[in-house]
Every structure is written in C-alpha cells, then in structure tokens.
Amino acid sequence: MRILLTGGAGFIGSHISLLLLQKGFDLVILDSFVNSSTNVIKVITSYVEKKSSKCNLKIINGDIRDRNLLEKIFIDSIKDSKPIQAVIHLAGLKSVADSVLNPLGFWDVNVCGTNNLLETMSKNECYSIVFSSSATIYGLPDSLPIREDHKVSPINPYGETKVAIEKMLEGLYKSNINLWRICSLRYFNPVGAHPSGLIGEDPIGIPSNLFPYISQVAAGRREFLNVFGDDWDTNDGSGVRDYIHIMDLSEGHIAAIDYLTSKESCFEFINLGSGKGYSVFEIINQFELSTGVQIPFIIKGRRVGDIAKCYADISKAKNLLNWFPKRSLEEICLDGWNWQKNNPNGYIL
Ligand code: NAD
Ligand code: UFG
C-alpha cells in the first residue's frame, strides 16, 4: 500500500516514516525542509536497509501549497501502478509564538496547504486521510481528563488553524457521506525519541518545549531550565501535561491507517496521549532519576498563554483503534536522553 506522508522529515514524521517503512509500506514523503534536515532521510534509509532489505521510499522536496507538484505526485504514482491510497498529513507550522506574530503565514501553510491537498486527493480519487491535530484546540479545559466531545476553543492562531482544518475535513465528509475515511488525531505532548538513538527531536534555535529544553540542559548546551510558574493550581504548582512517547504516537498512526482501511467511510476525532498528567517538577525528577544527570532550574513567571493542566481521556483511541500507549515516562526520559547524548548537535552528520 502506498502512503503519502506530508511533513515526513519532521520530528513526528520521521518516527512515523521509520515505522511505516519497517512495516513494508510503500512511502512517498513530501517535505519542504523548512523545519527539518535532509540528513534525517539518510538516517532513516540506512536504518531500514540494515534491518530489512527493502526500503520503498521516495522523497519529494516541495511545498504542500504547490498545487502542480501535488498533482504530479498523485499522477506519477498512478503511472507507476502504485496509486496513493492514503495520506498522513503532518506538514505545517507549529510554533504557537510564531503564530501570534504571523497569523496569516499560519493560515496560508496550514489551512490553504491542507485545502490544496484535499482538492488534489479528491481529484485523484484518494479518499483516506489521517490528520495531525492538537490538544491545543481545547484551549482552557473545563473538565479533566479531556474527552473528544469537550468544547473546542483555541486561544492562539495556531490552534485556530487546526480547528479550521478539522471543520474543513468534517464538511468534506458530510458532502458525500459514503466516500471519505478521515481520522483527525489530536496529539497531546509527543516527546522522547526512537530507542535506537538515531532519530529524535531536533528543534531549530532555542527549544520552546519542555523536553528538548531539559535534554539540552542535560547535554550542557544550556545552563539551566526556566520553570514557567510554580503557582499554578496543580499538585506542586508547576504545569501539568500529558506526555506521550513518540513511538506510541507513531503506532497510533498505523492503527489509524488500519482503522480507515477497514471502513467504508468514517470521520473521527481521536485523542492520542498517555492519559496521565505529569508536572514540570515530576518530569525533572524522573529525568534525573532515569539518566543520573542533574537538571539545574530556576523559577520564572508564568508563560503567556499557558494553562495549569491538560491531559487526555484516551478511551476512544483504545476502543476504536485498539491502540494504547505502552511506554513509561522512564522510557521517554531514557530514549530522549539517548538521542540527545548521541547527537548533541542534532542531525549534523
Ligand atoms: P515539525 O516541524 O518537526 O515537522 C513538520 C514538517 O513539515 C517539517 O519537516 C517541515 O519542514 C514540514 N513543512 C512545514 N511546512 C511545510 C510546507 N508548506 N510544505 C511541506 N512541508 C512543510 O513538527 P512536528 O512536531 O513533527 O509536528 C508535525 C505535525 O503535528 C504538525 O502539523 C503539528 O502542528 C502537529 N502537532 C505537533 C505537536 C508537537 O508537540 N510536536 C503537537 C500537536 C500537533
Ligand atoms: N515549560 C517550562 N519550561 C520550558 C518549557 C516549558 O516550565 O522551558 C512548561 C510549560 O509552562 C508547561 C509544560 O512545561 O507547563 C509543557 O510545556 P511545552 O511547551 O512542552 O508544551 P505545551 O503543552 O505548552 O505545548 C505543546 C506544543 C503545542 C501543542 C501542545 C498540545 O508546543 O503546540 O503541546 O499538544 F499544541
């Protein structure tokens, strides 16, 4: 089965790519490399070739907003007698802070890019898509754990683009109820790395997320961690989030593809998280315990736009996809540290 994976060179996409290739899928990656390195592709290819003989991978360096290119990708696949049967759509911009500064850029890439992709899929009779949505769409949660039927109320332009895309997908599904197979996966906080230590998260510049920041402190690239607030309404005053191992999240995509292909048509929003909430202090403690490396920190004021607690109800994913997260917080810390330690400067080969 041939799958088009947009954004396949990014943090999440690289882990999904590896898994899909290992499972024998025929994969086409479309990525503009605006937030990733071409080196990740070399690492993935050599890993898969070492473990199994075949690596059915085609890389296209391009933009999801380029309609002619998208059209060519679908047509070329049909000509190869390997039509694209499903799309996993990850390509997009994700920095919340950037979205506040440049909302139009976010609407252009995320929303217009997705519109382009869906039109091309429709034209070429590819009707199965897994989309990467985000827990950010829930905004300030009224109740925890968050279920998929919780109200959607994003508090930044990034989240608004995700909601707009979900609405676009819903409208498309309703336009012809027997045609489309759609899963919108709402990720909580994907962290950690592949257990090989060969691929992982490689943020450009100063990391804005907790885990890569802690890893860089551990590696000596940064002096200390800033803890954004110790006065939140949580067990110890620091922010609580639902951290999910990147390999568990990646397996969720395989389960979603299996689910879609078993259906005549469907449209589902599904949370992917661990279902557990951990505070910043709990993460620091677990990281130190697992790796033996101390993480110096200082307490700073609250970060603008942050919330106290956010964690998922994952029963829908368990029931519908027969998927559940298998890896512990300890494995998250060990695998994340293994990647950082082996690649202190990321994908510089
Ligand atoms: P990432 O930035 O590492 O990966 C995104 C990839 O898309 C990059 O390789 C980038 O080069 C590519 N890209 C960006 N714009 C493109 C364009 N116009 N055309 C083609 N390629 C383009 O991000 P990630 O963490 O892997 O996230 C993947 C998806 O998951 C994103 O849509 C993001 O919004 C969503 N998501 C991420 C998180 C998270 O915490 N990482 C949480 C929830 C949702
Ligand atoms: N934090 C710190 N110091 C840091 C970074 C983060 O104390 O240097 C704290 C935050 O205040 C928060 C927690 O660690 O309490 C987690 O913060 P992250 O930035 O790692 O994660 P967020 O939950 O704020 O946001 C992330 C992505 C969003 C996505 C969301 C839900 O950045 O794009 O997860 O999936 F929408």
Side-chain angles (χ1 to χ4, degrees), residues 292-310:
V293 184
Q294 294 301 297
I295 304 298
F297 64 85
I298 57 170
I299 308 292
K300 285 281 182 72
R302 294 182 180 188
R303 188 170 63 174
V304 177
D306 260 355
I307 55 173
K309 294 182 222 170
C310 176

Side-chain angles (χ1 to χ4, degrees), residues 159-222:
E160 284 159 4
T161 66
K162 293 290 183 190
V163 174
I165 296 166
E166 286 199 346
K167 291 215 181 302
M168 200 190 286
L169 292 168
E170 189 169 6
L172 187 61
Y173 171 72
K174 286 182 177 163
S175 69
N176 188 345
I177 219 114
N178 296 317
L179 194 60
W180 284 84
R181 290 170 290 268
I182 301 172
C183 273
S184 182
L185 301 180
R186 294 171 171 173
Y187 312 155
F188 280 66
N189 293 58
V191 289
H194 191 267
S196 64
L198 293 170
I199 57 171
E201 189 166 11
D202 184 17
I204 294 171
I206 302 171
S208 50
N209 298 119
L210 180 68
F211 253 90
Y213 205 106
I214 288 183
S215 304
Q216 292 195 5
V217 172
R221 275 177 72 179
R222 320 226 163 249

Side-chain angles (χ1 to χ4, degrees), residues 33-303:
F33 298 96
V34 284
N35 200 35
S36 49
S37 161
T38 49
N39 286 342
V40 70
I41 304 297
K42 294 179 196 152
V43 176
I44 291 173
T45 312
S46 89
Y47 183 84
V48 175
E49 279 170 352
K50 245 181 243 165
K51 295 272 165 187
S52 55
S53 53
K54 267 204 296 192
C55 182
N56 293 319
L57 175 62
K58 200 167 165 180
I59 307 295
I60 293 151
N61 185 343
D63 198 297
I64 51 167
R65 290 166 296 174
D66 182 343
R67 185 63 187 268
N68 291 336
L69 175 66
L70 279 177
E71 192 66 42
K72 188 173 174 336
I73 294 170
F74 278 87
I75 300 282
D76 284 353
S77 286
I78 293 167
K79 280 190 195 148
D80 281 356
S81 305
K82 286 179 183 166
I84 291 165
Q85 284 167 283
V87 175
I88 301 179
H89 177 37
L90 308 180
L93 303 178
K94 66 168 182 176
S95 157
V96 171
D98 289 352
S99 79
V100 174
L101 295 173
N102 177 21
L104 295 184
F106 270 65
W107 280 81
D108 186 30
V109 172
N110 293 1
V111 181
C112 300
T114 305
N115 183 68
N116 222 12
L117 174 66
L118 292 171
E119 282 188 353
T120 315
M121 287 175 66
S122 180
K123 194 171 164 200
N124 291 283
E125 298 178 355
C126 172
Y127 300 116
S128 298
I129 182 165
V130 175
F131 171 63
S132 57
S133 188
S134 166
T136 197
I137 65 168
Y138 295 117
L140 293 166
D142 294 332
S143 55
L144 290 164
I146 303 175
R147 285 163 37 127
E148 289 82 354
D149 57 5
H150 186 283
K151 78 169 188 313
V152 155
S153 179
I155 55 172
N156 53 63
Y158 165 65
E160 284 159 4
T161 66
K162 293 290 183 190
V163 174
I165 296 166
E166 286 199 346
K167 291 215 181 302
M168 200 190 286
L169 292 168
E170 189 169 6
L172 187 61
Y173 171 72
K174 286 182 177 163
S175 69
N176 188 345
I177 219 114
N178 296 317
L179 194 60
W180 284 84
R181 290 170 290 268
I182 301 172
C183 273
S184 182
L185 301 180
R186 294 171 171 173
Y187 312 155
F188 280 66
N189 293 58
V191 289
H194 191 267
S196 64
L198 293 170
I199 57 171
E201 189 166 11
D202 184 17
I204 294 171
I206 302 171
S208 50
N209 298 119
L210 180 68
F211 253 90
Y213 205 106
I214 288 183
S215 304
Q216 292 195 5
V217 172
R221 275 177 72 179
R222 320 226 163 249
E223 217 181 319
F224 51 79
L225 171 74
N226 299 302
V227 175
F228 297 136
D230 63 350
D231 56 353
W232 293 99
D233 180 18
T234 60
N235 53 338
D236 59 19
S238 64
V240 167
R241 296 291 185 277
D242 181 331
Y243 299 97
I244 174 169
H245 195 297
I246 185 69
M247 296 313 297
D248 281 328
L249 187 92
S250 301
E251 286 168 3
H253 289 73
I254 308 280
I257 288 288
D258 286 347
Y259 177 75
L260 291 187
T261 46
S262 74
K263 290 277 159 189
E264 206 50 47
S265 71
C266 61
F267 176 70
E268 300 289 349
F269 306 115
I270 305 176
N271 288 340
L272 287 187
S274 69
K276 296 183 196 118
Y278 290 102
S279 73
V280 174
F281 292 131
E282 285 170 334
I283 297 296
I284 296 172
N285 287 341
Q286 183 62 59
F287 192 93
E288 291 183 340
L289 203 66
S290 303
T291 64
V293 184
Q294 294 301 297
I295 304 298
F297 64 85
I298 57 170
I299 308 292
K300 285 281 182 72
R302 294 182 180 188
R303 188 170 63 174

